[in-house]
Amino acid sequence: MSRIVLGVAGGIAAYKACLLLRRFTEAGHDVQVVPTANALSFVGETTWAALSGRPVASDVMADAHLVNHVRLGREADLVVVAPATADLLARAASGRADDLLTNVLLTATCPVVMAPAMHTEMWQHAATRANVATLRSRGVVVLRPAEGRLTGPDTGPGRLPEPEDIEASALAALDSPATAAAMASQDLAGLHVVVSAGGTREPLDPVRFVGNSSSGLMGVALARAAVQRGAAVTLVAANVAVEAPAGVDVVRVGTTSELASAMTDAAAGAHIVVMAAAPADFTPVSPSPTKLKKSGDAGLSVEFAQTTDVLAGLAARRPAGQVVVGFAAETAVDEAELVALGTAKLARKGCQLLVLNNVSGGAVFGAADNQVLLLAPSGVTGRAAGSKTVVAHQILTAAADQHERTAE
Ligand code: CTP
């Protein structure tokens, strides 16, 4: 459980911060809401108090004996500002301390994550760009806003990211100072990262398929992490059950053969390619063009052919400097066996990095958490555990390190 200060600035997206607050409290965190005076015009004190289980703190002069303007920032493990308006970004960048929230920002030594929300013109204005650059240079994580419908009829970049995206990135920043620094410095800016996610489905007839239970959460977490570190991201999504994160270019596919061609197209010119999808290894040779009917009590025999190995194909055709990352879920009795299986698979696939998962203990599919070993041709280079977003950041760091080394 962590102590989180949730700062809320005065924008209509304040209502979405209620959902973020709920996510934090349901995950067991202790949240103090610090709304600005304008935020309280959008969502009142009662809502924040009821959802957080404690009174809001919004006035520098209230409860002066508690020295809230210093205490809240000092004691916090994480400060999240959602929405961060253009005005809040400007006040934070210039070091103002004209209300309780800006006081908290000046006294906090923990990770600070800001989720901007404003009209597109305000987000793209040179003044806001400069304020964001200043904040990032000081280590503040300023998330990339989503694109889409704004308050009026207009659309464009400036929407508050979805509460689950803010939560995932904020908790990843809380998990590791290195991850917070990577997001703040936009360390993947200028890189194109291609990620596949989900499970492919091979049709048996127009309404039935052979598939697997991959949820796509790991690939989505990788896409979210890469976009928040400044990369241009393409997500090739095979039957992914969750929303793609904001700022990601999504290509939807169904079968392994569609996945193979979408990945081949997307990977040309990419710097990092991650095969987090679970492609079906077999496909029916002759799917029925009409719905298969029962005939008496006869069973059904289907002839399957092997599909293409997408990862091996990408690795074989990889341009110089590109890092191709594969995943392997193995059932191993111990780490030595896991590494042996992984080493053989890494060599067989020809990839530069393999993310190794031991699935013998239970299901990974659909779970929020993950535990992996990172294997390079030189051996185990790292291990990661935690939420899929936390693990995703570590995988990207390892891949970016390899990319930098090969580019030298
Ligand atoms: N993969 C792929 N194309 C396939 C099957 C798998 O690109 N047709 C990729 C997966 O996305 C993953 C990696 O290969 O990154 C390892 O997947 P896994 O199922 O462990 O590989 P298989 O080759 O199917 O190995 P096994 O023989 O152990 O099933």
Side-chain angles (χ1 to χ4, degrees), residues 159-219:
R159 250 169 84 93
L160 187 75
E162 290 310 310
E164 54 269 38
D165 286 336
I166 302 174
E167 182 198 24
S169 295
L171 295 182
L174 171 64
D175 173 75
S176 138
T179 299
M183 285 194 277
S185 67
Q186 299 280 284
D187 68 334
L188 303 184
L191 297 188
H192 181 199
V193 175
V194 177
V195 182
S196 69
T200 61
R201 293 176 177 175
E202 306 301 320
L204 283 163
D205 71 11
V207 294
R208 300 185 181 91
F209 57 81
V210 179
N212 61 67
S213 38
S214 171
S215 61
L217 289 175
M218 190 65 233

Side-chain angles (χ1 to χ4, degrees), residues 29 81 104 139 213 285 312 322 333:
H29 301 294
V81 184
V104 168
S213 38
V285 173
Q322 184 181 79
V333 289

Side-chain angles (χ1 to χ4, degrees), residues 196 256 275-281 307-312 325-330 345 348-349 354:
S196 69
T256 297
M275 271 298 297
D281 286 326
T307 56
T308 33
D309 189 321
V310 187
L311 176 61
V325 184
F327 272 71
E330 306 287 354
K345 191 164 282 183
R348 199 164 68 240
K349 303 275 186 179
L354 193 70

Side-chain angles (χ1 to χ4, degrees), residues 5-99:
V5 168
L6 175 61
V8 186
I12 180 61
Y15 80 91
K16 280 204 204 164
C18 298
L19 304 175
L20 177 64
L21 168 56
R22 223 197 154 109
R23 295 184 74 93
F24 282 143
T25 53
E26 277 175 2
H29 301 294
D30 188 0
V31 188
Q32 171 67 61
V33 182
V34 181
T36 63
N38 282 341
L40 292 174
S41 309
F42 289 97
V43 178
E45 280 194 33
T46 317
T47 303
W48 300 119
L51 288 174
S52 66
R54 55 166 67 221
V56 300
S58 59
D59 184 353
V60 187
M61 298 306 166
D63 300 319
H65 62 290
L66 298 176
V67 207
N68 275 339
H69 72 291
V70 177
R71 188 181 57 83
L72 291 175
R74 272 197 195 147
E75 290 181 357
D77 299 311
L78 172 70
V79 176
V80 179
V81 184
T85 55
D87 179 63
L88 188 280
L89 293 175
R91 290 190 292 129
S94 58
R96 297 290 300 268
D98 49 359
D99 63 5

Side-chain angles (χ1 to χ4, degrees), residues 293-301:
K293 296 280 188 198
K294 287 198 289 279
S295 152
D297 53 8
L300 176 70
S301 297

